[in-house]
Amino acid sequence: MPDRNDRWDDLLRRAMRGDAAAYAAFLSDIAPVIRGIVRARTRGAEDAEDIVQEVLLAVHAKRHTWREDEPVAPWLYAIARYKAADAGRRRGRQGGHVPLDDVEEVLPDEGGDVTATRDLAVMLDRLDARAARIVRAIGVEGQSARDVGTSLKMSEGAVRVAYHRAMVSLKELAETED
Amino acid sequence: MKTDDLITMLAQDAAPTPAAPLARRTGYGLAVGFAVALGLFLAVLGPRPGLGGLMLDPVVLAKTLLPLALFALALRLGLRSVRPGRAPGRTAWVIWAVPALTAALFVWAFAVTPAETRMVDFLGHSIPVCLPAINLMSLPILAGLIAALRRGAPVDPQKAGALAGLAAAGLATALYSTFCTEDSPLFYSVWYSVGIAITTALGAVAGSRWLRW
Protein backbone atom coordinates (compact mmCIF):
# COMPACT_ATOMS: atom_id res chain seq x y z
CA MET A 1 0.00 0.00 0.00
CA PRO A 2 2.04 2.96 -1.25
CA ASP A 3 -0.44 5.49 0.19
CA ARG A 4 -0.05 4.21 3.69
CA ASN A 5 3.74 4.03 3.44
CA ASP A 6 3.94 7.63 2.26
CA ARG A 7 1.64 8.72 5.06
CA TRP A 8 3.72 6.91 7.69
CA ASP A 9 6.97 8.34 6.35
CA ASP A 10 5.48 11.83 6.40
CA LEU A 11 3.94 11.49 9.88
CA LEU A 12 7.06 10.08 11.52
CA ARG A 13 9.28 12.63 9.81
CA ARG A 14 7.13 15.41 11.27
CA ALA A 15 7.05 13.65 14.66
CA MET A 16 10.84 13.55 14.71
CA ARG A 17 10.80 17.33 14.44
CA GLY A 18 8.63 17.58 17.53
CA ASP A 19 5.13 17.53 16.02
CA ALA A 20 3.10 15.79 18.78
CA ALA A 21 -0.12 15.66 16.72
CA ALA A 22 1.63 13.92 13.84
CA TYR A 23 3.21 11.51 16.30
CA ALA A 24 -0.15 10.67 17.90
CA ALA A 25 -1.62 10.10 14.43
CA PHE A 26 1.32 7.89 13.50
CA LEU A 27 1.09 5.75 16.64
CA SER A 28 -2.70 5.37 16.34
CA ASP A 29 -2.27 4.43 12.70
CA ILE A 30 0.34 1.75 13.30
CA ALA A 31 -1.24 0.21 16.44
CA PRO A 32 -3.77 -1.99 14.55
CA VAL A 33 -1.10 -3.09 12.09
CA ILE A 34 1.22 -4.03 14.95
CA ARG A 35 -1.68 -5.87 16.61
CA GLY A 36 -2.12 -7.91 13.45
CA ILE A 37 1.58 -8.82 13.29
CA VAL A 38 1.73 -9.70 16.99
CA ARG A 39 -1.39 -11.87 16.85
CA ALA A 40 -0.13 -13.71 13.80
CA ARG A 41 3.29 -14.24 15.35
CA THR A 42 2.13 -15.31 18.81
CA ARG A 43 -0.83 -17.38 17.59
CA GLY A 44 -3.35 -15.31 19.51
CA ALA A 45 -1.61 -15.21 22.89
CA GLU A 46 -3.68 -13.82 25.76
CA ASP A 47 -1.08 -11.14 26.45
CA ALA A 48 -1.00 -10.00 22.81
CA GLU A 49 -2.05 -6.47 23.79
CA ASP A 50 0.87 -6.28 26.26
CA ILE A 51 3.22 -7.15 23.41
CA VAL A 52 1.54 -4.53 21.19
CA GLN A 53 2.29 -1.97 23.90
CA GLU A 54 5.85 -3.23 24.18
CA VAL A 55 6.28 -2.73 20.43
CA LEU A 56 4.90 0.82 20.69
CA LEU A 57 7.32 1.56 23.53
CA ALA A 58 10.19 0.09 21.49
CA VAL A 59 9.20 2.19 18.46
CA HIS A 60 9.30 5.21 20.74
CA ALA A 61 12.61 4.37 22.41
CA LYS A 62 14.36 3.38 19.17
CA ARG A 63 12.85 5.90 16.75
CA HIS A 64 16.29 7.39 16.16
CA THR A 65 17.30 4.14 14.42
CA TRP A 66 14.92 5.01 11.57
CA ARG A 67 16.56 7.01 8.79
CA GLU A 68 14.39 9.59 7.14
CA ASP A 69 15.50 8.54 3.66
CA GLU A 70 14.21 5.00 4.22
CA PRO A 71 10.60 3.73 4.29
CA VAL A 72 9.07 3.33 7.77
CA ALA A 73 7.22 0.08 7.09
CA PRO A 74 10.14 -2.43 6.94
CA TRP A 75 11.68 -0.78 10.01
CA LEU A 76 8.41 -1.01 11.92
CA TYR A 77 7.70 -4.61 10.91
CA ALA A 78 11.22 -5.66 11.93
CA ILE A 79 10.69 -4.17 15.42
CA ALA A 80 7.27 -5.83 15.76
CA ARG A 81 8.65 -9.23 14.72
CA TYR A 82 11.62 -8.91 17.10
CA LYS A 83 9.43 -7.99 20.06
CA ALA A 84 6.88 -10.72 19.30
CA ALA A 85 9.64 -13.34 19.07
CA ASP A 86 11.26 -11.98 22.23
CA ALA A 87 7.97 -12.22 24.14
CA GLY A 88 7.52 -15.76 22.88
CA ARG A 89 10.96 -16.75 24.14
CA ARG A 90 10.35 -15.14 27.52
CA ARG A 91 6.99 -16.87 27.88
CA GLY A 92 8.61 -20.19 27.02
CA ARG A 93 11.25 -19.66 29.70
CA GLN A 94 8.84 -18.58 32.40
CA GLY A 95 6.42 -21.40 31.72
CA GLY A 96 3.45 -19.08 31.33
CA HIS A 97 3.87 -17.24 34.62
CA VAL A 98 2.97 -13.59 34.72
CA PRO A 99 4.98 -11.18 36.87
CA LEU A 100 2.98 -10.14 39.95
CA ASP A 101 3.26 -6.43 39.12
CA ASP A 102 1.24 -7.01 35.97
CA VAL A 103 -1.43 -9.00 37.77
CA GLU A 104 -2.02 -6.36 40.43
CA GLU A 105 -3.04 -3.90 37.78
CA VAL A 106 -5.57 -6.27 36.25
CA LEU A 107 -7.06 -8.03 39.23
CA PRO A 108 -9.26 -5.31 40.77
CA ASP A 109 -11.16 -4.87 37.51
CA GLU A 110 -11.82 -8.58 37.26
CA GLY A 111 -13.35 -8.70 40.72
CA GLY A 112 -10.45 -10.82 41.92
CA ASP A 113 -9.99 -8.65 44.98
CA VAL A 114 -13.10 -10.11 46.65
CA THR A 115 -11.04 -13.15 47.58
CA ALA A 116 -8.66 -10.94 49.48
CA THR A 117 -11.23 -8.99 51.47
CA ARG A 118 -14.03 -11.46 52.05
CA ASP A 119 -14.45 -14.90 53.38
CA LEU A 120 -14.67 -16.61 50.04
CA ALA A 121 -16.26 -19.80 51.34
CA VAL A 122 -19.23 -17.91 52.79
CA MET A 123 -19.85 -16.03 49.60
CA LEU A 124 -19.43 -19.05 47.39
CA ASP A 125 -22.34 -20.67 49.25
CA ARG A 126 -24.61 -18.01 47.86
CA LEU A 127 -23.78 -18.94 44.28
CA ASP A 128 -25.32 -21.93 42.61
CA ALA A 129 -23.38 -25.15 43.11
CA ARG A 130 -21.90 -25.32 39.61
CA ALA A 131 -20.69 -21.71 39.59
CA ALA A 132 -19.14 -22.16 43.03
CA ARG A 133 -17.34 -25.27 41.84
CA ILE A 134 -15.96 -23.43 38.79
CA VAL A 135 -14.73 -20.53 40.91
CA ARG A 136 -13.05 -22.91 43.38
CA ALA A 137 -11.41 -24.91 40.61
CA ILE A 138 -10.12 -21.98 38.58
CA GLY A 139 -9.77 -19.16 41.10
CA VAL A 140 -8.56 -21.12 44.13
CA GLU A 141 -7.03 -24.36 42.88
CA GLY A 142 -5.66 -22.83 39.69
CA GLN A 143 -7.03 -25.44 37.28
CA SER A 144 -7.37 -24.57 33.62
CA ALA A 145 -10.75 -23.84 32.07
CA ARG A 146 -10.30 -26.84 29.81
CA ASP A 147 -9.75 -29.28 32.70
CA VAL A 148 -12.76 -27.90 34.57
CA GLY A 149 -14.81 -28.18 31.40
CA THR A 150 -13.87 -31.82 30.99
CA SER A 151 -14.88 -32.72 34.54
CA LEU A 152 -18.18 -30.79 34.29
CA LYS A 153 -18.87 -31.89 30.69
CA MET A 154 -18.90 -28.28 29.54
CA SER A 155 -17.01 -26.61 26.72
CA GLU A 156 -13.97 -24.55 27.62
CA GLY A 157 -15.69 -21.38 26.41
CA ALA A 158 -18.80 -22.06 28.50
CA VAL A 159 -16.58 -22.51 31.57
CA ARG A 160 -14.89 -19.18 30.93
CA VAL A 161 -18.24 -17.42 30.57
CA ALA A 162 -19.61 -19.05 33.71
CA TYR A 163 -16.45 -18.14 35.62
CA HIS A 164 -16.66 -14.54 34.51
CA ARG A 165 -20.38 -14.30 35.48
CA ALA A 166 -19.66 -15.87 38.85
CA MET A 167 -16.90 -13.34 39.53
CA VAL A 168 -19.29 -10.50 38.65
CA SER A 169 -21.91 -11.93 41.02
CA LEU A 170 -19.33 -12.27 43.78
CA LYS A 171 -18.30 -8.67 43.32
CA GLU A 172 -21.92 -7.54 43.55
CA LEU A 173 -22.44 -9.66 46.66
CA ALA A 174 -19.38 -8.12 48.23
CA GLU A 175 -20.56 -4.62 47.45
CA THR A 176 -24.11 -5.10 48.78
CA GLU A 177 -22.70 -6.26 52.08
CA ASP A 178 -20.68 -3.08 52.57
CA MET B 1 -2.97 0.48 30.84
CA LYS B 2 -5.02 0.84 27.68
CA THR B 3 -3.13 1.03 24.41
CA ASP B 4 -4.84 4.32 23.52
CA ASP B 5 -3.67 5.86 26.79
CA LEU B 6 -0.15 4.69 26.07
CA ILE B 7 -0.28 6.31 22.62
CA THR B 8 -1.48 9.59 24.11
CA MET B 9 1.32 9.45 26.65
CA LEU B 10 4.02 8.67 24.09
CA ALA B 11 2.80 11.35 21.69
CA GLN B 12 3.36 14.04 24.33
CA ASP B 13 6.99 12.97 24.30
CA ALA B 14 7.55 13.76 20.61
CA ALA B 15 10.62 15.89 21.23
CA PRO B 16 12.99 15.81 18.27
CA THR B 17 15.72 13.21 18.58
CA PRO B 18 19.30 14.24 17.78
CA ALA B 19 20.27 13.40 14.22
CA ALA B 20 22.49 10.38 13.57
CA PRO B 21 23.38 9.76 17.23
CA LEU B 22 24.20 6.16 16.43
CA ALA B 23 27.02 6.79 13.95
CA ARG B 24 28.53 9.50 16.14
CA ARG B 25 28.40 7.37 19.27
CA THR B 26 30.01 4.51 17.41
CA GLY B 27 32.74 6.93 16.39
CA TYR B 28 33.31 7.92 20.04
CA GLY B 29 33.24 4.31 21.26
CA LEU B 30 35.69 3.32 18.56
CA ALA B 31 38.03 6.25 19.30
CA VAL B 32 38.15 5.49 23.03
CA GLY B 33 38.61 1.76 22.45
CA PHE B 34 41.34 2.32 19.88
CA ALA B 35 43.16 4.79 22.14
CA VAL B 36 43.33 2.13 24.88
CA ALA B 37 44.46 -0.53 22.40
CA LEU B 38 47.10 1.82 20.98
CA GLY B 39 48.31 2.62 24.51
CA LEU B 40 48.65 -1.11 25.23
CA PHE B 41 50.44 -1.62 21.91
CA LEU B 42 52.97 1.18 22.41
CA ALA B 43 53.58 0.24 26.04
CA VAL B 44 54.16 -3.48 25.45
CA LEU B 45 54.92 -4.13 21.78
CA GLY B 46 55.66 -1.12 19.57
CA PRO B 47 56.24 -1.08 15.80
CA ARG B 48 58.99 -3.26 14.36
CA PRO B 49 62.19 -1.57 13.11
CA GLY B 50 62.21 -0.59 9.45
CA LEU B 51 58.43 -0.87 9.16
CA GLY B 52 58.08 1.74 6.39
CA GLY B 53 60.50 0.06 4.02
CA LEU B 54 59.16 -3.44 4.65
CA MET B 55 55.64 -2.28 3.83
CA LEU B 56 56.73 -1.84 0.20
CA ASP B 57 56.55 -5.63 -0.09
CA PRO B 58 52.92 -6.41 -0.99
CA VAL B 59 52.99 -9.64 1.04
CA VAL B 60 53.98 -7.66 4.15
CA LEU B 61 51.53 -4.88 3.34
CA ALA B 62 48.73 -7.43 2.94
CA LYS B 63 48.95 -8.53 6.57
CA THR B 64 48.06 -4.98 7.63
CA LEU B 65 45.68 -4.08 4.81
CA LEU B 66 43.53 -7.24 4.89
CA PRO B 67 42.58 -6.88 8.59
CA LEU B 68 42.06 -3.16 8.03
CA ALA B 69 39.63 -3.91 5.19
CA LEU B 70 37.92 -6.46 7.42
CA PHE B 71 37.53 -3.79 10.10
CA ALA B 72 35.97 -1.25 7.72
CA LEU B 73 33.55 -3.73 6.15
CA ALA B 74 32.52 -5.37 9.43
CA LEU B 75 31.95 -1.96 11.02
CA ARG B 76 29.68 -0.96 8.14
CA LEU B 77 27.72 -4.21 8.46
CA GLY B 78 27.60 -3.86 12.25
CA LEU B 79 26.11 -0.37 12.02
CA ARG B 80 23.49 -1.60 9.56
CA SER B 81 22.63 -4.58 11.75
CA VAL B 82 21.41 -2.30 14.55
CA ARG B 83 18.89 -0.54 12.30
CA PRO B 84 15.73 -2.68 12.07
CA GLY B 85 14.59 -3.57 8.57
CA ARG B 86 17.79 -2.39 6.93
CA ALA B 87 19.27 -4.85 4.44
CA PRO B 88 23.02 -5.49 4.76
CA GLY B 89 23.36 -4.76 1.04
CA ARG B 90 26.36 -5.53 -1.12
CA THR B 91 28.82 -5.21 1.77
CA ALA B 92 27.62 -8.60 3.01
CA TRP B 93 29.10 -10.10 -0.17
CA VAL B 94 32.14 -7.86 -0.48
CA ILE B 95 33.39 -8.79 3.01
CA TRP B 96 33.93 -12.39 1.84
CA ALA B 97 36.71 -11.10 -0.40
CA VAL B 98 38.88 -10.77 2.74
CA PRO B 99 38.87 -14.46 3.73
CA ALA B 100 39.05 -15.39 0.03
CA LEU B 101 42.19 -13.28 -0.49
CA THR B 102 43.64 -14.63 2.76
CA ALA B 103 43.10 -18.20 1.59
CA ALA B 104 44.60 -17.36 -1.80
CA LEU B 105 47.68 -15.91 -0.10
CA PHE B 106 48.05 -19.08 1.94
CA VAL B 107 47.82 -21.30 -1.16
CA TRP B 108 50.29 -19.08 -3.03
CA ALA B 109 52.78 -19.14 -0.12
CA PHE B 110 52.38 -22.90 0.19
CA ALA B 111 53.27 -23.28 -3.48
CA VAL B 112 56.33 -21.00 -3.49
CA THR B 113 57.77 -22.10 -0.12
CA PRO B 114 60.24 -25.03 -0.29
CA ALA B 115 58.71 -28.12 1.31
CA GLU B 116 61.30 -28.29 4.10
CA THR B 117 60.65 -24.74 5.39
CA ARG B 118 56.83 -24.80 5.14
CA MET B 119 56.34 -26.17 8.64
CA VAL B 120 58.90 -23.75 10.10
CA ASP B 121 57.14 -20.79 8.48
CA PHE B 122 53.71 -22.05 9.48
CA LEU B 123 54.56 -22.45 13.17
CA GLY B 124 56.79 -19.35 13.30
CA HIS B 125 58.10 -18.36 16.71
CA SER B 126 55.42 -16.04 18.12
CA ILE B 127 52.09 -17.84 18.39
CA PRO B 128 52.02 -17.39 22.21
CA VAL B 129 52.40 -13.62 21.68
CA CYS B 130 50.25 -13.24 18.57
CA LEU B 131 46.99 -14.78 19.79
CA PRO B 132 46.81 -13.13 23.25
CA ALA B 133 47.99 -9.78 21.86
CA ILE B 134 45.32 -9.68 19.14
CA ASN B 135 42.59 -10.63 21.60
CA LEU B 136 43.71 -8.30 24.39
CA MET B 137 43.95 -5.32 22.03
CA SER B 138 40.55 -6.21 20.56
CA LEU B 139 38.83 -6.10 23.94
CA PRO B 140 38.78 -2.30 24.55
CA ILE B 141 37.67 -1.71 20.95
CA LEU B 142 34.95 -4.35 21.26
CA ALA B 143 33.79 -2.80 24.54
CA GLY B 144 33.60 0.65 22.95
CA LEU B 145 31.63 -0.71 20.00
CA ILE B 146 29.18 -2.73 22.11
CA ALA B 147 28.57 0.27 24.38
CA ALA B 148 27.77 2.43 21.34
CA LEU B 149 25.62 -0.18 19.57
CA ARG B 150 23.41 -0.51 22.65
CA ARG B 151 21.77 2.69 21.41
CA GLY B 152 20.74 0.79 18.31
CA ALA B 153 18.08 -1.86 17.88
CA PRO B 154 19.61 -5.07 16.51
CA VAL B 155 16.94 -7.61 15.56
CA ASP B 156 19.71 -10.24 15.84
CA PRO B 157 21.80 -9.20 18.88
CA GLN B 158 24.17 -12.15 18.55
CA LYS B 159 25.00 -11.32 14.94
CA ALA B 160 25.43 -7.63 15.71
CA GLY B 161 27.83 -8.58 18.52
CA ALA B 162 29.77 -10.91 16.23
CA LEU B 163 30.15 -8.12 13.65
CA ALA B 164 31.37 -5.78 16.40
CA GLY B 165 33.88 -8.49 17.41
CA LEU B 166 34.99 -8.92 13.80
CA ALA B 167 35.50 -5.16 13.38
CA ALA B 168 37.36 -4.86 16.70
CA ALA B 169 39.59 -7.82 15.86
CA GLY B 170 40.29 -6.43 12.37
CA LEU B 171 41.52 -3.14 13.78
CA ALA B 172 43.52 -4.78 16.58
CA THR B 173 45.11 -7.22 14.13
CA ALA B 174 46.10 -4.43 11.74
CA LEU B 175 47.78 -2.72 14.68
CA TYR B 176 49.49 -5.92 15.83
CA SER B 177 50.77 -6.62 12.31
CA THR B 178 53.04 -3.56 12.52
CA PHE B 179 54.88 -5.28 15.41
CA CYS B 180 54.87 -8.84 14.08
CA THR B 181 57.96 -9.98 12.17
CA GLU B 182 56.42 -13.14 10.75
CA ASP B 183 56.00 -12.24 7.11
CA SER B 184 55.02 -15.58 5.59
CA PRO B 185 51.31 -15.91 4.78
CA LEU B 186 51.73 -19.50 5.98
CA PHE B 187 51.93 -17.97 9.44
CA TYR B 188 49.78 -14.89 9.44
CA SER B 189 46.90 -16.03 7.24
CA VAL B 190 46.28 -18.85 9.73
CA TRP B 191 47.12 -17.45 13.15
CA TYR B 192 45.71 -13.96 12.61
CA SER B 193 42.51 -15.63 11.44
CA VAL B 194 42.40 -17.78 14.58
CA GLY B 195 42.81 -14.68 16.75
CA ILE B 196 40.09 -12.86 14.83
CA ALA B 197 37.76 -15.86 15.08
CA ILE B 198 38.16 -15.96 18.87
CA THR B 199 37.28 -12.28 19.26
CA THR B 200 34.35 -12.66 16.87
CA ALA B 201 32.95 -15.50 18.97
CA LEU B 202 33.45 -13.37 22.08
CA GLY B 203 31.57 -10.54 20.35
CA ALA B 204 28.67 -12.88 19.57
CA VAL B 205 28.42 -13.84 23.24
CA ALA B 206 28.68 -10.20 24.32
CA GLY B 207 26.00 -9.26 21.78
CA SER B 208 23.46 -11.81 22.95
CA ARG B 209 24.10 -10.61 26.49
CA TRP B 210 24.27 -6.82 26.13
CA LEU B 211 22.65 -5.93 22.82
CA ARG B 212 19.15 -7.16 23.68
CA TRP B 213 16.54 -4.46 23.99
Side-chain angles (χ1 to χ4, degrees):
Chain A
M1 270 187 280
D3 287 355
R4 188 171 77 182
N5 287 348
D6 289 348
R7 192 171 67 241
W8 284 358
D9 294 357
D10 177 54
L11 286 174
L12 189 54
R13 204 171 290 134
R14 276 158 51 198
M16 299 283 262
R17 297 193 170 76
D19 183 340
Y23 196 34
F26 172 73
L27 292 171
S28 310
D29 220 31
I30 62 171
V33 179
I34 292 172
R35 197 168 290 128
I37 295 174
V38 168
R39 283 196 183 143
R41 296 253 155 190
T42 58
R43 287 183 221 93
E46 284 174 26
D47 59 346
E49 202 56 26
D50 291 345
I51 304 171
V52 170
Q53 297 189 1
E54 256 181 64
V55 174
L56 286 169
L57 282 166
V59 164
H60 182 68
K62 299 293 185 182
R63 62 199 193 279
H64 60 272
T65 62
W66 173 64
R67 285 159 49 124
E68 296 201 357
D69 54 350
E70 303 225 342
V72 168
W75 173 80
L76 180 67
Y77 299 159
I79 291 179
R81 284 195 301 266
Y82 173 77
K83 281 291 171 187
D86 200 43
R89 265 195 303 274
R90 242 178 308 142
R91 209 172 33 228
R93 251 202 323 271
Q94 292 180 345
H97 281 293
V98 181
L100 196 60
D101 288 349
D102 294 354
V103 180
E104 278 172 353
E105 234 183 51
V106 178
L107 280 179
D109 289 337
E110 308 272 335
D113 58 338
V114 292
T115 57
T117 54
R118 297 283 159 182
D119 185 350
L120 187 65
V122 172
M123 294 210 298
L124 281 180
D125 284 344
R126 301 204 197 163
L127 296 175
D128 68 77
R130 197 184 65 172
R133 189 167 165 191
I134 291 173
V135 171
R136 273 201 198 91
I138 297 179
V140 182
E141 292 157 20
Q143 293 185 32
S144 75
R146 179 178 301 180
D147 292 347
V148 177
T150 314
S151 64
L152 289 179
K153 296 192 179 66
M154 292 167 68
S155 77
E156 194 184 336
V159 171
R160 282 184 196 283
V161 171
Y163 177 66
H164 184 72
R165 283 198 184 135
M167 291 310 277
V168 172
S169 316
L170 280 175
K171 202 174 179 183
E172 282 167 0
L173 282 172
E175 274 161 7
T176 52
E177 277 194 6
D178 281 337
Chain B
M1 188 194 280
K2 294 236 174 65
T3 301
D4 288 343
D5 298 338
L6 178 72
I7 289 174
T8 312
M9 201 183 76
L10 292 181
Q12 287 161 359
D13 196 22
T17 48
L22 207 54
R24 205 175 314 143
R25 274 185 186 238
T26 308
Y28 293 150
L30 201 57
V32 172
F34 181 70
V36 176
L38 187 65
L40 276 173
F41 175 77
L42 292 176
V44 183
L45 304 172
R48 66 198 282 200
L51 178 68
L54 290 162
M55 283 268 198
L56 296 175
D57 181 351
V59 179
V60 179
L61 189 63
K63 75 176 183 175
T64 303
L65 282 192
L66 282 174
L68 214 53
L70 190 67
F71 156 71
L73 294 167
L75 182 67
R76 197 175 156 86
L77 285 176
L79 270 173
R80 287 192 183 174
S81 77
V82 299
R83 292 188 188 276
R86 189 153 159 76
R90 229 179 304 164
T91 315
W93 295 99
V94 175
I95 198 167
W96 287 99
V98 178
L101 281 171
T102 307
L105 264 173
F106 180 88
V107 171
W108 170 80
F110 189 87
V112 299
T113 308
E116 59 273 18
T117 55
R118 275 180 197 148
M119 206 58 189
V120 178
D121 283 0
F122 168 65
L123 290 175
H125 54 79
S126 62
I127 296 171
V129 181
C130 172
L131 290 183
I134 286 178
N135 283 292
L136 283 176
M137 291 198 301
S138 297
L139 282 182
I141 306 173
L142 177 60
L145 281 177
I146 294 277
L149 294 183
R150 279 174 63 81
R151 274 285 281 170
V155 293
D156 187 345
Q158 194 173 17
K159 184 178 154 201
L163 286 168
L166 198 59
L171 189 56
T173 304
L175 191 57
Y176 176 78
S177 71
T178 62
F179 157 82
C180 171
T181 55
E182 316 252 19
D183 290 333
S184 169
L186 291 179
F187 178 88
Y188 70 72
S189 67
V190 175
W191 299 110
Y192 284 15
S193 302
V194 171
I196 292 170
I198 293 171
T199 302
T200 305
L202 199 67
V205 174
S208 57
R209 176 125 173 60
W210 287 300
L211 290 182
R212 295 196 178 284
W213 47 289

